[in-house]
Amino acid sequence: MNMKNAADTRLAFVTDSIHPNFAEDDRIVVRYLSAHGYWVDPVIWDDSSVNWSSFDCIILRSSWDYFLKIVTFTAWLDQLALAKVKVYNPVPVLQWNKNKNYLLHFKEAGILIPEFEYCKQGLAYSLNNILQEHQWHKVVIKPSVSGGAHKTWVTDLSQALVHQLDFEALTLHQDVIVQKFSDEIVRHGELSLINFNKKFSHAVLKQAKVGDFRVQAQYGGQHTIYHPSASLLNQVDRILSFIADPLLYARIDGFLDDQHNFWLMELELLEPVLFFDSDTDACQRFEQALTELIAY
């Protein structure tokens, strides 16, 4: 596809029925794109009346209910692939990234990831035994398909037996990750590094409210601009180097240890908040990346 003039380019920012309009952060980049001639529409991903082929590019942005309808969402992505419409990030990347089992891939590749046990749906596990065997005092429990800390909670050795039934209820319906609790996130915060077309754009430091471990805004978390070192950017580049597909955006979440090693928590390629409010040039970089990718 040859690149059209921006004024001829129609973009779909994919939303969901709970959040049908542009997300608050996305309104910033939508205003920028509109001012530069793009037509940008918020479009609910599971609206059966939508003609997805009418858009020059489909960009997943706030389809935040996808994990609640994962079978339907997976089928919808398959339909986009069959329609051969331009999607960012590409459909194979979205299919891969929607399940946190991708962390197994990075673990095998030698990327630093806090220790975790991957528990398969329908199998019997003892939460207490997992903590005892790994000598973990405290862990985070989260479904392998989820977002926004949905059904994510913390337990420790003193509560593992009490929480066993809740844990079994979770593994009955889905794969579950039991991960060693990273105190660094509570003490120092979690970093989000945003790349457009695999080039670094900006970064933020997210911090949970006092008494919580969740850094998301809906739980009282806050973020501030962060200036990463060259060493940190090199570590992030290594993570992204394992993905051959083009990426309009990538948000790499993790933390630094005392030796300045970066530990990956999640690689967000599906519908992350991109913190356009934190850098005045972020919109320009996003538009440049979009121009570069949509031209092919």
Side-chain angles (χ1 to χ4, degrees):
M1 170 178 166
N2 294 322
M3 181 60 189
K4 298 180 177 184
N5 293 326
D8 299 322
T9 303
R10 189 179 179 204
L11 308 176
F13 266 34
V14 179
T15 64
D16 65 31
S17 58
I18 304 171
H19 318 88
N21 298 313
F22 297 118
E24 182 177 355
D25 191 61
D26 283 344
R27 291 175 195 153
I28 300 170
V29 73
V30 168
R31 284 195 297 269
Y32 181 91
L33 293 171
S34 298
H36 287 75
Y38 291 87
W39 293 90
V40 191
D41 296 315
V43 190
I44 299 170
W45 70 267
D46 55 349
D47 182 346
S48 59
S49 69
V50 175
N51 177 12
W52 296 101
S53 297
S54 67
F55 295 97
D56 295 298
C57 189
I58 298 165
I59 303 172
L60 273 76
R61 290 305 308 124
S62 52
S63 50
W64 292 329
D65 68 349
Y66 78 93
F67 55 88
L68 301 175
K69 311 173 184 179
I70 192 62
V71 174
T72 305
F73 183 75
T74 299
W76 173 70
L77 290 178
D78 288 339
Q79 290 171 5
L80 293 182
L82 289 173
K84 299 188 183 303
V85 292
K86 189 174 285 290
V87 183
Y88 284 110
N89 287 321
V91 169
V93 170
L94 302 175
Q95 295 282 35
W96 174 76
N97 192 237
K98 71 182 190 291
N99 191 316
K100 292 180 180 62
N101 60 13
Y102 68 78
L103 290 172
L104 296 168
H105 169 79
F106 284 115
K107 182 179 179 181
E108 292 169 0
I111 297 297
L112 292 176
I113 298 175
E115 294 178 83
F116 65 91
E117 180 92 7
Y118 192 87
C119 303
K120 295 270 182 93
Q121 176 185 352
L123 299 183
Y125 297 90
S126 164
L127 191 54
N128 185 69
N129 287 351
I130 290 174
L131 271 72
Q132 293 278 8
E133 289 169 8
H134 292 284
Q135 297 184 336
W136 297 337
H137 171 70
K138 190 175 183 180
V139 294
V140 177
I141 298 169
K142 51 190 171 184
S144 66
V145 178
S146 68
H150 179 72
K151 291 189 177 180
T152 297
W153 40 286
V154 170
T155 192
D156 57 30
L157 272 172
S158 68
Q159 295 292 309
L161 293 175
V162 175
H163 288 153
Q164 179 63 27
L165 288 179
D166 293 331
F167 179 62
E168 290 175 1
L170 207 56
T171 56
L172 179 64
H173 301 290
Q174 56 203 303
D175 293 355
V176 175
I177 292 172
V178 179
Q179 189 165 44
K180 181 181 178 183
F181 188 85
S182 299
D183 292 300
E184 292 88 347
I185 292 177
V186 173
R187 288 188 285 113
H188 305 302
E190 181 181 75
L191 296 172
S192 283
L193 298 105
I194 294 92
N195 284 43
F196 299 137
N197 197 13
K198 297 184 180 177
K199 302 183 187 84
F200 173 71
S201 172
H202 57 290
V204 298
L205 175 66
K206 302 175 297 184
Q207 294 180 295
K209 71 177 183 181
V210 175
D212 206 330
F213 69 97
R214 298 167 297 186
V215 296
Q216 291 85 355
Q218 64 265 38
Y219 300 111
Q222 299 193 4
H223 65 274
T224 54
I225 191 71
Y226 181 84
H227 301 286
S229 66
S231 172
L232 174 54
L233 293 180
N234 287 336
Q235 294 177 71
V236 168
D237 285 343
R238 180 168 179 253
I239 292 170
L240 292 179
S241 72
F242 289 98
I243 302 180
D245 298 89
L247 299 174
L248 173 58
Y249 57 78
R251 198 184 87 192
I252 304 92
D253 292 348
F255 63 88
L256 290 170
D257 63 20
D258 293 337
Q259 288 73 47
H260 304 289
N261 297 309
F262 183 73
W263 292 75
L264 177 66
M265 294 297 294
E266 290 193 28
L267 176 59
E268 297 272 12
L269 305 178
L270 204 160
E271 36 64 79
V273 173
L274 295 173
F275 301 106
F276 287 107
D277 65 342
S278 298
D279 191 297
T280 55
D281 295 323
C283 293
Q284 181 181 353
R285 298 187 197 106
F286 181 89
E287 192 269 340
Q288 181 180 349
L290 177 63
T291 299
E292 292 167 353
L293 293 176
I294 205 172
Y296 295 100

